[in-house]
Amino acid sequence: MSAPARQELLDGLFAPPTEAERAAIERDWESRPAPEPRGVRVELEKREKDGRRTLVVSHLVNGNRHYGAVRIPAAAPEKRLPVLVVAHGGDKGASGYHFFHHGALADEWIQVVPSFRSEPLLLTPFRAYRSEGLANPWDGDVDDTMQLLSAVLGLLPQADSSRVAVFGHSRGGGVALLMGERDPRIRAVVSVAGPTDLFLPDIRRVATRGLSLPLPRLPGANYLADSVLFALRDGRTTLPRARLEMLRRSPAWFAHRLPPTQVHHGALDNKVAFAHGERLAAFAGQVPGRTLEFHAYPAGKHRTRTLDGAVARAEEFLMRTVANASTSSASP
């Protein structure tokens, strides 16, 4: 591909989204089937010494079996508990590591950890489950997680469907934001180092490199390269379709749909640029009445442990906006 042709392709792909494009994505979201549980099975149940229970729950999405893990604290059986979806980062699958193990989120919430399409769920050393279907980062991740949430709410009488929140890191941060925008059951969102806008300059730099050099090892990069960048270059898709594929994975452009949201981002993040957090905060700030807390960490990197105090802030936010809030005050 010649330099002028490459420049023209990138200029078209990374032009700011239009109002018509944004409206098309919202129509697509509204047209998708309601997240009703199908083919739900409890694959595994473990009882801990402290009274907690861990489940592996599976369900069907478009004929593919999808798996998730559920942690239920040792609360009185009749007590209704808030529900926290925990969306993992990376593309290596989910495990018990992704649960919160200490504090109020561990002791007072039902936690739901989805695996994503084609990825494993590992809870015991000798038994793994693998969600079926082709990888579809962010967009398909949200579809599957919404269905899993429906399955869990149907299975557990103690799960309070009026108090549901979602927390995510990195790739999972993007999933959390998009789920908050698409699923009206979500009362609050916490995103840590999540991507928010695939039209930002840092993504264009990755795309520019991808046209001539191997892509960096970033979650979702290979999928987007094949289904958007290379597909456009090779004539397997059109520019309008390619742009919509990027836009439906860019939650900053739909910040007006978010419930109360808290964002954490490190200024030294070398995987998901700090500009993603700034962009979401700027867009949300333009929406009257929208609650978004943006916490910047000057010395913070990509991992949550480098963001001093982030977990404590997230716990306080979720307890305040969801666990201890009435349904009416929690609504967006």
Side-chain angles (χ1 to χ4, degrees), residues 41 43-44 46 53-59 66-72 83-88 94-99 110-116 120-124 129 131 145 148-149 152 156:
R41 298 196 310 230
E43 307 282 355
L44 176 72
K46 293 172 56 180
R53 288 190 294 150
T54 301
L55 309 178
V56 173
V57 175
S58 73
H59 60 105
H66 175 258
Y67 295 88
V70 182
R71 178 69 59 87
I72 307 162
V83 179
L84 181 64
V85 176
V86 183
H88 71 79
S95 71
Y97 168 82
H98 294 105
F99 287 124
I110 294 171
Q111 299 180 71
V112 181
V113 174
S115 60
F116 298 140
L121 170 66
L122 181 63
L123 286 184
T124 65
Y129 306 85
S131 288
T145 304
L148 175 63
L149 175 60
V152 172
L156 302 179

Side-chain angles (χ1 to χ4, degrees), residues 199-211:
F199 295 87
L200 281 170
D202 71 298
I203 304 297
R204 176 166 178 154
R205 285 192 289 271
V206 172
T208 301
R209 169 178 170 166
L211 289 171

Side-chain angles (χ1 to χ4, degrees), residues 134-250:
L134 298 175
N136 186 354
W138 296 293
D139 190 51
D141 298 343
V142 176
D143 286 338
D144 297 347
T145 304
M146 289 170 63
Q147 297 279 9
L148 175 63
L149 175 60
S150 293
V152 172
L153 293 176
L155 275 174
L156 302 179
Q158 64 268 57
D160 189 344
S161 62
S162 71
R163 293 187 294 162
V164 181
V166 57
F167 174 101
H169 171 257
S170 190
R171 173 185 177 180
V175 171
L177 292 166
L178 289 165
M179 190 170 177
E181 292 169 345
R182 291 179 50 189
D183 192 331
R185 298 171 296 183
I186 303 303
R187 300 298 177 185
V189 173
V190 176
S191 172
V192 180
T196 71
D197 185 0
L198 298 187
F199 295 87
L200 281 170
D202 71 298
I203 304 297
R204 176 166 178 154
R205 285 192 289 271
V206 172
T208 301
R209 169 178 170 166
L211 289 171
S212 56
L213 297 170
L215 286 165
R217 294 176 61 91
L218 297 173
N222 287 331
Y223 174 85
L224 288 173
D226 182 65
S227 63
V228 175
L229 185 64
F230 300 153
L232 185 59
R233 179 197 64 187
D234 301 339
R236 291 184 283 117
T237 193
T238 64
L239 180 60
R241 287 181 179 177
R243 286 174 54 79
L244 291 180
E245 286 300 300
M246 292 171 58
L247 183 56
R248 73 178 78 253
R249 295 169 171 83
S250 297

Side-chain angles (χ1 to χ4, degrees), residues 11 105 163 273 279 313 332:
D11 286 346
L105 298 179
R163 293 187 294 162
R279 175 59 62 90
R313 291 185 183 96

